[in-house]
Amino acid sequence: MFNNFSSFMPFILKGLEITVQVFLVGAVVAYSIALVAGLMRTSKNPVIRSVAAVFVELFRGTSLLVQMFFFVYALPMIFPGLSMSNFLAGSIAVGLNYGAYASEVVRGAIHSIAVGQTEAAISLNMSKWQRMRLVILPQAVRLMLPGFGNNAIELLKGTSLVYFIALADMTFQANVLRGSNNSLSNQIEIYTYLLVAYFILALPLIFLARWLEKRASKGVSTS
């Protein structure tokens, strides 16, 4: 066992580029959506809050895999003029799904800022946008970082589902390899290498999240 590293690992890593690309596009979509939906959830306008709530609960309450299938197969049938590649459909589905979860991190962080901060900003004659941009968000971002870090790691792991829509990511490559290696020892070896590959990919995210948290906490009193 574990004597096929030189042949198995390079084959699995053929899918590394797709895995990283789906992660990056998904992360851009996720954090953009998280910020917008999170701010909408804090709005005093009930219509805006309701629209954001429906979006968040829809994507949190349904399977990511089903969402991928919907974007790839159902959406082009509903809107014949709308076509997208499997890569784009999978990346958007991943981004929207994890963006819905991350929006709750944004909402919770904003709501945790003391009311006195807003009152002080109002007393300085700041507009609502100025209060949010200059007073609330800078403090809230520090509180969002741990949740965002966890979300990024979960998003990376979620990219493994794109092999169901025929994207040749690392999981896809591992399953192709398994199909031509039926022995139990080889299959254990293949999925062990896949496990290690995802762990190594996640390590920079873990260290980056910790570094950002420490940097954001400098000069902040914890008392």
Side-chain angles (χ1 to χ4, degrees), residues 136-159:
I136 298 174
L137 274 181
Q139 298 178 73
V141 166
R142 178 175 57 86
L143 303 176
M144 295 176 199
L145 289 176
F148 275 5
N150 290 334
N151 189 264
I153 296 167
E154 292 296 325
L155 193 154
L156 173 64
K157 293 186 291 185
T159 63

Side-chain angles (χ1 to χ4, degrees), residues 21-35:
Q21 287 177 349
V22 172
F23 169 76
L24 292 176
V25 175
V28 170
V29 173
Y31 293 120
S32 299
I33 288 293
L35 185 59

